[in-house]
Amino acid sequence: DVPVVLTGDLNCTSFGRLRGIANTLSLMNREVVLHPFTFDCADVPTGVTSVTMARCMRIDAILYQSQRLELVDVQEIPDLTPHLPIPNAQQPSDHVPIVAQFRTRSQHHTMREVAKEWFLSLAGKEAQVPLNQHQLECAFKLYDHDGTGSISQPNLRKVLASLFGILPDRCETVCASCFADRTELTCQNFISLYLKSVKAAGLPGLEDLRDAFDLFDSDKNGSLDLSELLHAFEQCAPSTVPRDRIEEVFHIIDANGDGTIDLDEMIRYLAKSWTDGFNLAR
């Protein structure tokens, strides 16, 4: 329940790729549990943060958990151009400081966002932030606003209208699927419908994972051999993974047995790891 902020000189230009690396290697290591921050990771817009004779880019970042924190303000940074590189008389470092102000979101706001995520997942949208059992139980209480322990179709429509301002697109489709063989939704029904839709939609953040695959593919031939995967873990994994475990994972991913892993094989394995590891424990 604690909001997460990650800041620093990340020394990279693609923060999406950084997320992809973290998620890819974590999903390959079954002992690692993905934190919600890796999916709910927003980026404060800062502009260029470092200009020298050799570079002009944004390599410093403030990343935050948008479901729990609202970005209120961002301090304006000086205009930086290659014609006025830093450090100089005004800026003593080759990086400018970046500053952001946040406000903790209320519990009610967070509950509304979770309730929206439940609906969007059932409507066929890609899951942005995987929800756990506690979050789903809170969302259920919002839809079950009169506390009967179940949700009727009229109540579902009423809450959706309050969440989105108007009844959202695909409301009829979602209602039809939810109440196809029942007149009311229990909490168990509510959670089961979400889990089914999330598993069908697949792994979120695919673009980040594709970026990570491209980075691991050092010879740019469109596939990874064992040495490339070993190098990826050696350079990027937050904790040591035994070589025999990496080799085991490599052969599992290499579905056709040709001695290499292509992007489709990688995505299929990561998606299966994600859904297999998707538990509704608190």
Side-chain angles (χ1 to χ4, degrees), residues 56-214:
C56 177
M57 60 186 64
R58 183 176 74 119
I59 56 179
D60 307 274
I62 301 176
L63 309 176
Y64 65 98
Q65 203 167 352
S66 61
Q67 194 180 76
R68 298 191 175 276
L69 293 171
E70 177 189 1
L71 179 62
V72 176
D73 197 12
V74 181
Q75 179 175 297
E76 186 177 357
I77 63 175
D79 290 331
L80 301 176
T81 69
H83 304 294
L84 295 171
I86 55 175
N88 55 34
Q90 288 74 40
Q91 300 292 333
S93 170
D94 61 351
H95 297 254
V96 294
I98 54 176
V99 180
Q101 182 179 358
F102 298 98
R103 177 166 50 220
T104 304
R105 295 192 188 277
S106 69
Q107 183 176 355
H108 181 66
H109 176 93
T110 301
M111 187 185 298
R112 286 173 61 88
E113 292 303 304
V114 170
K116 287 181 181 179
E117 183 68 26
W118 176 86
F119 168 79
L120 293 173
S121 294
L122 266 65
K125 307 293 184 182
E126 181 184 280
Q128 298 300 313
V129 185
L131 305 177
N132 59 33
Q133 180 168 334
H134 176 65
Q135 291 172 310
L136 289 166
E137 288 171 350
C138 289
F140 177 81
K141 289 178 182 177
L142 187 69
Y143 285 103
D144 176 29
H145 63 278
D146 52 4
T148 63
S150 62
I151 306 168
S152 66
Q153 191 164 164
N155 275 355
L156 179 62
R157 292 173 181 275
K158 184 186 300 183
V159 175
L160 287 175
S162 72
L163 289 174
F164 293 94
I166 58 173
L167 283 177
D169 293 340
R170 303 205 65 182
C171 175
E172 298 304 322
T173 304
V174 170
C175 286
S177 65
C178 287
F179 297 98
D181 56 356
R182 60 178 72 89
T183 58
E184 293 183 327
L185 287 180
T186 64
C187 187
Q188 183 178 354
N189 299 147
F190 185 85
I191 292 173
S192 296
L193 286 166
Y194 172 80
L195 183 56
K196 180 180 178 181
S197 65
V198 143
K199 287 188 174 182
L203 184 65
L206 287 179
E207 194 58 41
D208 293 345
L209 300 177
R210 293 187 184 100
D211 280 349
F213 182 91
D214 183 62

Side-chain angles (χ1 to χ4, degrees), residues 27-28 30 198-199 202-204 206 209 252-253 264-279:
L27 285 166
M28 286 186 180
R30 294 299 181 90
V198 143
K199 287 188 174 182
L203 184 65
L206 287 179
L209 300 177
I252 293 172
I253 301 174
D264 288 341
E265 289 175 323
M266 175 73 82
I267 295 298
R268 280 197 299 271
Y269 177 82
L270 296 179
K272 185 177 186 305
S273 294
W274 186 67
T275 54
D276 286 351
F278 189 99
N279 66 69

